[in-house]
Amino acid sequence: MPFSTGEGGGMEDTLNMEEKGIRLLRADEIECRVSTVSEKGASLLLFKDARVDQRILDETFTPFGWRRTHQSIDGNLYCTVEVWDEGKGQWIAKQDVGTMSYTEKEKGQASDSFKRACFNWGIGRELYTAPFIWIPAGKVKIQKKGDKYTTGDRFAVKEIGYNGYREICMLVVVNAGGEVVFAKGMRQEPATVLQQGNAAGLDNSAYEKLQAELERTGITMEAVLARYQIEDVGQMTPELFRKAMAGLKRSKAKSAA
């Protein structure tokens, strides 16, 4: 899911997450979900759930130092997470809206809006910096159902590391059998990891932008890969990404084609 920004005051009006000690997520608190599947492999996205948010809020502000409320605005469910600021003697609020769940509509929106509001407090914000996670076909079981490719494989984060900017600089993902299927930044010096992280590979935000353009134009990922002579999206550099996005933006929407 795309993580939206929510309402909230400026830096002078809010608690500093570093001062209050909002910690980074542990490996066991991060979920891996399959994003896309093709005959060549599958991509994963990293998520947190509402229980993680509740636990970190309790740890950081105590169970009595924060509160949440929900309200419906124009048919959309919003969540407001408030934290008590001892210095100002008042509640500081951050708000965000949830997206609809296909299974449990109200519960899904309530949970999603809460998680998004917690992102605005800085809980799990480091997930924005995740690298593009691509599992090649040789490491994931892929099935074709009709005209779609699917997989029943499950994955988990085994190890994760962060740099001084609270960015993910090391990540190890395993399958249900404990086999490593993705690794980045292993046994490297922090400076080297930073340079490599800026040199190649797409993060989740870039990948989602690419997916949005593919859906708008109706152009397949396979066609883009073939155009730039690469085998999977994990090989797409920022330069190729910019070229691909520029070409897609010049293409007509599939409805207008």
Side-chain angles (χ1 to χ4, degrees), residues 55-244:
R55 180 163 58 247
I56 293 180
L57 285 169
D58 284 349
E59 289 177 9
T60 310
F61 305 107
T62 80
F64 306 101
W66 67 278
R67 63 187 183 185
R68 64 186 278 191
T69 54
H70 292 271
Q71 64 183 131
S72 179
I73 302 175
D74 296 329
N76 297 311
L77 191 63
Y78 285 75
C79 177
T80 302
V81 173
E82 297 175 87
V83 168
W84 180 253
D85 187 333
E86 288 283 354
K88 295 183 175 63
Q90 65 184 38
W91 291 94
I92 306 298
K94 289 182 180 288
Q95 183 185 74
D96 213 327
V97 63
T99 57
M100 186 180 299
S101 169
Y102 290 104
T103 53
E104 298 176 277
K105 181 178 178 181
E106 293 183 2
K107 182 179 179 181
Q109 284 195 62
S111 176
D112 190 61
S113 61
F114 174 60
K115 289 185 288 185
R116 288 170 179 265
C118 288
F119 266 114
N120 294 327
W121 273 109
I123 301 176
R125 193 178 294 169
E126 58 272 20
L127 296 181
Y128 282 113
T129 69
F132 176 73
I133 306 171
W134 176 257
I135 315 299
K139 294 184 178 181
V140 57
K141 297 177 182 177
I142 298 173
Q143 300 175 328
K144 188 173 184 180
K145 294 184 177 180
D147 59 348
K148 293 184 178 180
Y149 291 94
T150 64
T151 180
D153 286 7
R154 296 291 179 264
F155 304 93
V157 175
K158 181 180 181 181
E159 296 181 53
I160 191 165
Y162 305 95
N163 62 27
Y165 300 100
R166 299 176 69 92
E167 300 169 331
I168 297 173
C169 63
M170 188 270 284
L171 181 67
V172 179
V173 177
V174 298
N175 59 22
E179 177 190 0
V180 174
V181 295
F182 178 89
K184 181 173 182 179
M186 293 290 287
R187 301 181 182 89
Q188 299 185 54
E189 294 298 324
T192 304
V193 173
L194 282 173
Q195 291 171 4
Q196 290 186 349
N198 291 330
L202 303 185
D203 59 17
N204 286 344
S205 175
Y207 179 69
E208 288 171 358
K209 291 177 181 177
L210 179 61
Q211 281 292 111
E213 281 300 300
L214 293 178
E215 292 177 7
R216 182 186 69 82
T217 60
I219 296 173
T220 66
M221 181 69 79
E222 287 74 14
V224 174
L225 297 178
R227 171 68 176 81
Y228 296 101
Q229 299 179 345
I230 54 178
E231 295 182 356
D232 62 62
V233 189
Q235 298 174 323
M236 182 172 283
T237 64
E239 181 181 359
L240 289 182
F241 170 72
R242 288 190 291 270
K243 290 181 179 179

Side-chain angles (χ1 to χ4, degrees), residues 245-257:
M245 288 295 290
L248 289 168
K249 288 182 181 298
R250 290 194 296 269
S251 302
K252 294 181 179 180
K254 58 185 175 182
S255 58

